[in-house]
């Protein structure tokens, strides 16, 4: 049995995600997301589950309820992606634009690990679990992270795997300094801004200096950092040897005051 069409419908906006549009549809019809999905007889509690894949029958039911074409419903999901793009596209929202969210929008590009500023209004995207005092984040870190995000996008869309491998190596290193565990591709999709921004900034730092040198110069090497390094590069003995070499040279140098001259 087909569910009744909803009393009100809303037109999807460019780049809008299916889950976001369903939320706006629910609000227009004075109900919440779960009630709407139950009415359309969709067996999921969260619309986000539909963003990556919506089967023909489900698209048909949603289209019928919202009085739109099923193709419109399908166009709101993610198109097919390369494995690299997919690894950097979040299944769940991890950042949003405060401005556009207020208007009930949920946009597709926000889910990309490399998205940094809202493409609709230009506001910097903020992590969903960001500290309440976002303004305390230094301008320098934001500047570097934005550059790193741009590089991450190039790497994700480049033909060969080399660029992304280099970017992820920088992220792995940043993670070890922050003792943040897990997959590097998840670190750049982290809902906590302190993790994500630091990892993105590391991508930019690794581009302008050889990674190990940049890391050691920016962070004096102590036992703790050394353990982190070993953990990050245990599978890359050549790189670890190069890091060791730099560390030994630094240890012989006059002390922390001369550190900047080695850059
Ligand atoms: Zn916006």
């Amino acid at each position: 049995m087909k569910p009744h069409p909803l009393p009100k419908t809303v037109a999807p906006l460019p780049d809008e995600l299916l889950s976001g549009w369903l939320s706006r549809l629910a609000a227009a019809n004075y109900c919440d997301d779960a009630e709407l999905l139950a009415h359309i007889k969709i067996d999921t509690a969260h619309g986000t589950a539909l963003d990556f894949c919506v089967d023909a029958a489900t698209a048909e039911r949603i289209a019928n309820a919202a009085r739109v074409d099923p193709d419109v419903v399908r166009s709101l999901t993610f198109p097919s992606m390369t494995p690299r793009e997919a690894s950097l596209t979040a299944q769940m929202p991890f950042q949003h634009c405060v401005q556009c969210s207020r208007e009930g929008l949920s946009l597709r590009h926000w889910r990309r690990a490399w998205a940094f500023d809202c493409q609709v209004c230009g506001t910097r995207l903020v992590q969903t679990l960001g500290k309440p005092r976002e303004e305390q984040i230094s301008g320098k870190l934001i500047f570097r992270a934005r550059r790193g995000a741009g590089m991450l996008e190039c790497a994700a869309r480049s033909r060969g795997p080399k660029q992304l491998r280099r970017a992820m190596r920088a992220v792995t290193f940043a993670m070890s300094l922050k003792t943040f565990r897990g997959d590097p591709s998840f670190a750049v999709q982290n809902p906590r801004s302190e993790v994500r921004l630091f990892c993105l900034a590391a991508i930019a730092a690794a581009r302008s200096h050889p990674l190990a040198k940049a890391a050691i110069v920016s962070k004096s090497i102590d036992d703790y950092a050394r353990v982190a390094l070993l953990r990050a590069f245990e599978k890359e003995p050549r790189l670890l040897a190069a890091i060791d070499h730099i560390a030994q040279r630094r240890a012989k140098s006059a002390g922390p005051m001369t550190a900047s001259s080695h850059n």
Side-chain angles (χ1 to χ4, degrees):
M1 200 181 74
K2 277 186 176 178
H4 291 294
L6 297 160
K8 285 186 180 169
T9 189
V10 289
L13 297 163
D15 200 44
E16 189 164 27
L17 264 179
L18 182 53
S19 57
W21 177 65
L22 288 171
S23 291
R24 289 202 301 123
L25 200 59
N29 288 282
Y30 307 104
C31 63
D32 63 28
D33 295 15
E35 287 164 344
L36 179 89
L37 293 169
H39 172 77
I40 311 175
K41 298 191 171 30
I42 293 173
D43 190 20
T44 175
H46 305 285
T48 45
L50 304 169
D51 288 332
F52 287 83
C53 176
V54 61
D55 61 62
T58 304
E60 184 80 41
R61 277 207 298 279
I62 297 171
N64 182 59
R67 289 174 277 139
V68 297
D69 194 271
D71 281 346
V72 171
V73 175
R74 273 193 291 271
S75 75
L76 297 170
T77 60
F78 278 98
S80 63
M81 291 181 248
T82 64
R84 243 176 288 155
E85 272 184 294
S87 72
L88 294 169
T89 302
Q91 298 280 325
M92 298 294 284
F94 71 101
Q95 61 179 358
H96 64 127
C97 165
V98 176
Q99 295 252 84
C100 295
S101 290
R102 262 190 224 123
E103 288 158 37
L105 288 185
S106 176
L107 303 179
R108 209 182 322 201
H109 73 275
W110 298 351
R111 295 281 190 93
R112 307 291 199 181
W114 58 79
F116 205 84
D117 299 298
C118 177
Q119 285 172 15
V120 170
C121 69
T123 306
R124 182 167 67 85
L125 301 174
V126 292
Q127 276 56 69
T128 48
L129 295 178
K131 286 179 184 165
R133 305 178 77 166
E134 271 271 333
E135 68 272 18
Q136 284 188 340
I137 297 171
S138 87
K140 208 170 173 183
L141 180 65
I142 290 168
F143 175 80
R144 286 186 178 159
R146 182 179 279 117
R147 280 190 52 204
M151 290 169 186
L152 184 63
E153 179 168 15
C154 288
R157 295 196 161 143
S158 72
R159 284 187 181 187
K162 211 172 140 192
Q163 270 191 52
L164 190 64
R165 215 185 294 137
R166 192 193 294 150
M168 285 301 134
R169 186 187 280 162
V171 172
T172 304
F173 185 80
M175 287 166 68
S176 66
L177 288 178
K178 287 271 178 197
T179 56
F180 177 78
R181 288 165 198 276
D183 192 290
S185 60
F186 291 140
V188 286
Q189 297 166 37
N190 200 280
R192 292 182 193 283
S193 52
E194 65 270 29
V195 175
R196 176 172 147 82
L197 295 179
F198 191 71
C199 290
L200 288 176
I203 296 175
R207 178 67 68 87
S208 47
H209 307 278
L211 172 63
K213 199 171 171 183
I216 291 167
V217 170
S218 65
K219 195 106 183 165
S220 63
I221 187 128
D222 54 12
D223 285 348
Y224 170 79
R226 166 120 191 97
V227 171
L229 273 171
L230 287 167
R231 206 189 300 135
F233 294 111
E234 59 187 349
K235 292 193 186 101
E236 306 203 41
R238 260 183 54 217
L239 200 61
L240 188 60
I243 292 167
D244 255 349
H245 185 68
I246 300 166
Q248 279 169 17
R249 267 201 354 235
R250 271 180 51 79
K252 282 183 202 155
S253 72
M257 293 303 284
T258 59
S260 58
S261 66
H262 287 257
N263 195 350

